[in-house]
Amino acid sequence: MKPVPTTTQLLLCPVCSRAFKPSKNENSNLRRHLKNVHNMSPTMHPRKCKWDSIPGGRIKNDKDRKERTRKSKRLWTRKTRLRRKAEDAALGLCTLSQAI
């Protein structure tokens, strides 16, 4: 499954080099093609899941879940505080320019 460097990212069949445009379900069209046309088993082209994109994979226990939740909350708080500071600074500049 090699991507083709074009404006729209295409997936190539590793056997026949047929190009597939990724849809909502990512590479399911390519997987179906490999299974039906080339009779390849699903183990040869594993299915992607939502845990593949997360570093560390699936949440294993309660401690890991709590740690990830805290990390996510810290990140959200940091982004929100920066956004509010920027809004306050912009509002201060706006009122300052109106006063002059």
Side-chain angles (χ1 to χ4, degrees):
M1 293 182 250
K2 295 176 267 181
V4 176
T6 59
T7 54
T8 58
Q9 191 74 12
L10 297 175
L11 299 172
L12 277 181
C13 173
V15 180
C16 65
S17 299
R18 181 175 172 193
F20 290 91
K21 184 177 180 183
S23 61
K24 180 181 175 186
N25 297 327
E26 300 260 338
N27 61 353
S28 62
N29 294 333
L30 177 59
R31 291 183 74 247
R32 192 177 306 113
H33 166 78
L34 288 170
K35 180 182 173 198
N36 295 339
V37 176
H38 302 299
N39 296 324
M40 292 177 73
S41 68
T43 56
M44 299 287 286
H45 47 93
R47 189 173 159 181
K48 287 186 176 180
C49 68
K50 69 178 185 177
W51 302 107
D52 291 342
S53 61
I54 298 173
R58 184 179 292 270
I59 296 171
K60 308 228 178 355
N61 54 26
D62 240 10
K63 183 180 176 184
D64 190 28
R65 181 182 55 79
K66 286 179 182 177
E67 184 181 320
R68 287 185 185 201
T69 303
R70 281 191 205 114
K71 186 177 178 181
S72 175
K73 286 181 178 182
R74 277 190 228 112
L75 180 64
W76 179 87
T77 305
R78 188 179 314 135
K79 287 180 180 179
T80 304
R81 285 178 182 161
L82 286 173
R83 190 185 77 235
R84 285 184 184 157
K85 280 184 182 179
E87 288 172 355
D88 290 344
L91 184 64
L93 287 174
C94 186
T95 55
L96 192 71
S97 65
Q98 287 177 354
I100 296 174

